[in-house]
Amino acid sequence: MDRRVFLGTAGASMLVPAVTLAQGNMAAAWVKLPTEPYRGKQDDIVFVDPMTGWYGNGAGKLFKTTDGGQTWVKQLDRPGTFVRALGFVDADLGFLGNIGPDYFPGVTDTTPLYRTRDGGATWEPITIDGPAVTGICAIDVLKTRFINAGVLDNRVTVRAGGRVGGPALLATSRDGGETWTSEDLSSLTAMILDVHFVDERIGFICGATDTDVAQSRALILRTGDGGRTWSRVYEGSRPFELTWKMSFPTETTGYVTVQSYNPDTTVSGRVFAKTTDGGLTWTEMPLIDNAAVREFGIGFIDENRGWIGAVPNGFATTDGGTTWTPVQMGNAVNKIRVIHHDGGTAVFAIGVEVHRLDLPG
């Protein structure tokens, strides 16, 4: 399960001549951004606007850009920490999830979650009340509007879940990241690989049925009451599988990648899961028939147009996943972030390298 995807010589560019994603008269190409070489898959990148963002990796390094990724400043260099997940509320307040020890070699940091109040310049450990959280694989930041004493106000809920290989713990803050409590969801899922809430009530967890990947089937949990209770809404039928990352371009339409670790190369079909009814039901759809492909990140800009990051290359669709086209967006893309802005849409993809795609309109 992940166990570091090793992808060749550090810094070797895997970008080939520009490949475009077109729909109507729209065409755009992924551009590789200048980042520090890293040998292997990097796990998360986050932007609060098209210019301001951060990315981190398993070497305990965190980088920040204020010019859309053209230049980066190293903010953290802490060997032994594995930067697995990132989440920012705004340009100042953010959270960093560490995978924790006893899974990847060289990871010694036992603090699962950190907070910054100054845009990543400094980080402080977060105290989490409840069952001990071993490590973090995903951070979800939910911003909602509500009426507070007759005044329209903002509420920020932050959730951090993990981890790959187990145990399955979910930490939640309902006051913008100031105080945190955790709960053990091991009775429902053996792992937490991703967490996403579409609103204050409805949320999802990517998981797996067993900590032993040979026995594991892919799993999605759904809550309709803000996380008080969870139900299984999708469970795969094949061993050696787990769900990985999700994307909800709308409240009703969502997509989830399904990873296969089956050593039998004759089991070559790769699938993803899609919902069109708000996650109540899910349908498996084919991605490609190729045993060499392993899926990771996923991101959609609307109901129809999106990408799946994978080894050895990514895939693009413009028809809601009915058909897919190979695309050079970087190898082993683990996270895809979509930033809508006044001038169009910026999409960032992180894997071995970092790429950016700009769409007009």
Side-chain angles (χ1 to χ4, degrees):
M1 294 165 295
D2 195 30
R3 290 286 185 188
R4 269 325 68 182
V5 178
F6 209 72
L7 299 158
T9 304
S13 174
M14 298 176 188
L15 189 65
V16 299
V19 177
T20 61
L21 172 70
Q23 186 181 53
N25 60 1
M26 184 200 76
W30 290 92
V31 176
K32 188 179 76 168
L33 300 178
T35 56
E36 182 177 289
Y38 183 77
R39 198 177 186 183
K41 176 172 69 68
Q42 302 174 106
D43 287 326
D44 209 354
I45 188 168
V46 63
F47 276 74
V48 294
D49 59 51
M51 295 291 106
T52 308
W54 299 259
Y55 82 88
N57 59 39
K61 295 183 179 182
L62 180 79
F63 300 87
K64 179 180 181 180
T65 182
T66 56
D67 58 10
Q70 294 307 304
T71 61
W72 299 85
V73 175
K74 187 190 301 180
Q75 291 189 307
L76 187 69
D77 191 347
R78 186 180 295 166
T81 299
F82 193 117
V83 183
R84 182 70 156 188
L86 295 167
F88 273 75
V89 177
D90 52 37
D92 295 319
L93 179 60
F95 307 92
L96 182 155
N98 167 41
I99 192 68
D102 304 322
Y103 192 81
F104 293 131
V107 181
T108 57
D109 187 357
T110 59
T111 300
L113 193 61
Y114 292 87
R115 174 176 51 223
T116 181
R117 302 181 192 272
D118 54 15
T122 61
W123 294 86
E124 59 184 357
I126 289 176
T127 299
I128 303 173
D129 295 330
V133 177
T134 304
I136 297 298
C137 278
I139 296 174
D140 180 60
V141 177
L142 177 67
K143 301 177 183 179
T144 54
R145 303 279 275 172
F146 74 106
I147 298 175
N148 182 12
V151 178
L152 192 60
D153 203 349
N154 295 298
R155 177 184 292 118
V156 177
T157 303
V158 189
R159 294 176 174 88
R163 67 177 179 167
V164 62
L169 278 296
L170 180 65
T172 301
S173 172
R174 301 184 186 277
D175 56 8
E178 290 300 313
T179 61
W180 293 76
T181 58
S182 66
E183 56 184 325
D184 189 340
L185 299 182
S186 298
S187 63
L188 298 172
T189 178
M191 313 178 202
I192 295 179
L193 294 318
D194 201 9
V195 180
H196 179 68
F197 274 69
V198 299
D199 58 32
E200 290 191 320
R201 299 178 300 107
I202 299 173
F204 302 89
I205 285 174
C206 286
T209 62
D210 202 294
T211 56
D212 179 2
V213 69
Q215 306 298 322
S216 175
R217 298 181 304 280
L219 180 68
I220 299 173
L221 302 181
R222 181 185 187 272
T223 180
D225 55 16
R228 288 189 292 273
T229 61
W230 295 86
S231 59
R232 291 185 174 188
V233 289
Y234 163 80
E235 185 173 329
S237 59
R238 299 166 298 274
F240 288 99
E241 289 188 353
L242 55 154
T243 54
W244 194 250
K245 298 299 177 185
M246 71 184 88
S247 176
F248 273 82
T250 71
E251 291 186 356
T252 56
T253 301
Y255 299 84
V256 169
T257 48
V258 177
Q259 279 194 357
S260 174
Y261 290 86
N262 198 323
D264 183 355
T265 57
T266 65
V267 183
S268 55
R270 299 295 180 256
V271 303
F272 64 97
K274 178 179 180 179
T275 181
T276 56
D277 60 7
L280 293 172
T281 61
W282 294 79
T283 301
E284 284 188 359
M285 298 178 66
L287 173 67
I288 192 171
D289 188 1
N290 185 344
V293 170
R294 181 175 298 165
E295 301 170 47
F296 290 105
I298 188 166
F300 275 71
I301 62 173
D302 57 32
E303 292 182 348
N304 294 313
R305 294 176 292 169
W307 303 266
I308 284 178
V311 171
N313 57 259
F315 299 88
T317 182
T318 58
D319 56 13
T322 301
T323 59
W324 294 87
T325 302
V327 62
Q328 297 299 331
M329 57 188 295
N331 199 356
V333 166
N334 191 68
K335 196 70 176 184
I336 301 170
R337 298 283 192 176
V338 176
I339 305 295
H340 296 291
H341 56 92
D342 290 342
T345 302
V347 189
F348 297 89
I350 186 168
V352 177
E353 301 157 334
V354 177
H355 286 73
R356 174 172 176 152
L357 177 72
D358 286 285
L359 301 175

